[in-house]
Amino acid sequence: KDQYLIFRDGTYYFVKGKGSVLNALKDEKKTLAQFIKKSSLDFRNSKEEAIVQVVRHYDKIKQHD
């Protein structure tokens, strides 16, 4: 079974789906939720790809801060 982790601010977050990804990256939760909806990311059938795209978008947002 595959497990996914996000490492942020010195802490590892286990992520299982959209909700846990948004909780791990909660400082940009609203923006990322809009991105997920606009991009029609499929966490059910392409979980790994969706997580990667969300984290890349998060990184892009944080580079501009």
Side-chain angles (χ1 to χ4, degrees), residues 15-62:
V15 293
K16 296 181 180 182
K18 179 171 65 173
S20 56
V21 170
L22 292 174
N23 285 335
L25 307 173
K26 62 183 152 202
D27 59 321
E28 293 292 339
K29 187 174 186 174
K30 185 176 180 182
T31 305
L32 294 174
Q34 291 171 349
F35 171 74
I36 291 167
K37 189 172 185 175
K38 183 182 85 173
S39 302
S40 301
L41 297 180
D42 184 5
F43 279 84
R44 190 161 294 178
N45 297 314
S46 303
K47 186 183 297 186
E48 184 175 351
E49 182 182 333
I51 292 169
V52 168
Q53 287 186 32
V54 172
V55 172
R56 282 186 182 150
H57 188 70
Y58 177 82
D59 286 342
K60 201 183 315 183
I61 293 168
K62 288 304 181 183

